[in-house]
Amino acid sequence: MGAMAAAGSLANATEYTLTSADALIFGDTEVITAFGEDTLPDLARRYSLGYEEIQRANPGVDLWLPGEGRPIVIPGQRLLPPGPREGIVVNLPEHRLYYYPKVRKGETPYVITYPVSIGKMDWSTPLGKTKVIGKQKNPTWTPPDSVRKEHEERGDPLPPVVKAGPDNPLGAYAMRLDIHPGAYLIHGTNNPIAVGMAITHGCIRMYPEDIEALFPLVPVGTPVWLVNEPVKVARIDGKVWLEVHPPIDEEGQQAAVDIEQFYALANTALGETPAAIHWDFVMSELKDASGMPQTVGIEVDPADLPPQPADPALPADAVPVAPETATPDAPAAAATSTSEAAPAPALAPH
């Protein structure tokens, strides 16, 4: 199912060529070695990752002093989010922006992707389709009254207008979205260490070098989809892949993963094709929400499936599972019954 190849080395890789129109996965996960004064935020920026993204890939690693010679996971492999492959798509739980430039007929399509910050609790980024209605270099910032009040209460008052320059939270470039009321922007930042977190007042914040690269590529009128897809499932070359990010609710807070969402997405991805699903892997990834694609199952030949009664306690459209413990690369004999599926406990992703 057409994978994608990175243009250039992994470090600072942001552009990936789609080898087919239906490519679903791209990039590679690598392990590097930390040196000297490397911090996880330093490495995140160097490898086009966000703050939380690199933390989740390296649980237990000290944020500010990983240590000389410490192996660091660089999660560069991703499933493309569902939906249109046109313009800009921002997947909020993923804290990541995807840009699909227009290409001429016969040219190879590609995607450009960057980590972003999104709205924090009580300042959530809205969902839905919008578009870019304006672009500005060296923007000034007129903070709304609510934001000035918040800063005033914590002893950090803001002027009515913040001029362009190093103290401007919008950075050097801003693109206005057609969302009302309010002023929602895709913009740079003077606080790059926080890219990849839910920390903004609803805007989408990027590393200074990323917005500088994206700004000239995006014409006014470009469609923008703001989506909430914490769970991504894909069927690729006979295998079932799962990628999970911490879900967010309507207030921008992290929420529990819904096992029913996995059932629905898996059935959509598989269609009529039965598959053996490794439920230990599924449940572990739904709990951990590492953000890294994992193989959790494999397609099976319907002729190899013995008839078994359905379990009325589980959804009628639940995907087939393997009745025994199996690894994704060597699954046990598959069964159509869902009776061996693990129960769906309440999960709280970190």
Side-chain angles (χ1 to χ4, degrees):
M1 295 284 294
M4 300 163 110
S9 64
L10 177 62
N12 296 315
T14 56
E15 181 178 317
Y16 297 84
T17 301
L18 288 94
T19 56
S20 72
D22 60 353
L24 298 173
I25 193 169
F26 68 92
D28 295 290
T29 293
E30 296 192 4
V31 179
I32 64 166
T33 301
F35 292 101
E37 300 301 314
D38 281 339
T39 69
L40 286 190
D42 290 337
L43 294 172
R45 188 170 181 180
R46 190 180 308 163
Y47 286 88
S48 194
L49 302 171
Y51 183 98
E52 294 182 3
E53 187 175 21
I54 199 167
Q55 272 194 307
R56 290 200 302 272
N58 295 277
V61 175
D62 189 281
L63 183 67
W64 300 112
L65 192 62
E68 180 79 21
R70 180 68 181 256
I72 303 296
V73 175
I74 302 298
Q77 187 178 51
R78 298 178 183 87
L79 297 175
L80 281 171
R85 296 188 182 181
E86 175 191 11
I88 292 173
V89 176
V90 179
N91 189 14
L92 301 186
E94 194 176 353
H95 296 183
R96 182 158 288 272
L97 177 150
Y98 296 85
Y99 176 52
Y100 300 92
K102 290 184 178 180
V103 295
R104 294 186 179 91
K105 185 177 181 179
E107 291 183 339
T108 303
Y110 60 100
V111 64
I112 300 172
T113 181
Y114 299 109
V116 297
S117 293
I118 63 169
K120 61 183 177 179
M121 181 179 64
D122 299 328
W123 296 93
S124 58
T125 304
L127 295 172
K129 183 182 179 182
T130 181
K131 62 182 178 181
V132 175
I133 58 172
K135 298 170 59 177
Q136 187 176 3
K137 185 177 179 179
N138 297 321
T140 58
W141 180 43
T142 304
D145 292 342
S146 54
V147 174
R148 293 188 66 198
K149 179 181 178 182
E150 180 187 88
H151 278 253
E152 185 73 34
E153 289 173 349
R154 67 178 187 226
D156 179 29
L158 290 172
V161 177
V162 179
K163 296 180 180 180
D167 296 327
N168 191 320
L170 300 184
Y173 301 89
M175 298 186 289
R176 184 176 296 275
L177 302 180
D178 189 18
I179 299 174
H180 306 281
Y184 291 89
L185 309 171
I186 300 174
H187 64 80
T189 182
N190 64 347
N191 183 27
I193 197 173
V195 169
M197 302 172 67
I199 197 172
T200 78
H201 290 100
C203 289
I204 297 161
R205 185 186 297 176
M206 302 177 66
Y207 286 127
E209 62 272 20
D210 290 349
I211 187 66
E212 183 177 9
L214 182 65
F215 187 85
L217 302 179
V218 177
V220 171
T222 295
V224 177
W225 281 268
L226 305 173
V227 301
N228 184 359
E229 298 288 350
V231 179
K232 295 188 280 186
V233 180
R235 176 170 58 104
I236 303 167
D237 295 331
K239 294 183 178 180
V240 181
W241 289 77
L242 172 65
E243 179 182 323
V244 183
H245 300 267
I248 55 175
D249 62 18
E250 294 179 355
E251 282 73 44
Q253 299 185 71
Q254 289 190 8
V257 176
D258 184 1
I259 186 66
E260 299 295 337
Q261 186 173 22
F262 170 76
Y263 285 138
L265 291 171
N267 279 297
T268 298
L270 291 168
E272 298 299 319
T273 306
I277 301 297
H278 193 304
W279 285 105
D280 286 346
F281 284 7
V282 170
M283 301 307 292
S284 176
E285 188 55 28
L286 290 177
K287 177 178 181 295
D288 294 341
S290 71
M292 295 186 290
Q294 308 288 341
T295 307
V296 297
I298 190 169
E299 293 178 11
V300 294
D301 188 332
D304 296 333
L305 300 177
Q308 294 188 20
D311 186 339
L314 290 170
D317 59 351
V319 295
V321 300
E324 302 175 16
T325 301
T327 64
D329 293 326
T336 53
S337 171
T338 59
S339 60
E340 299 296 328
L347 301 173
H350 56 58

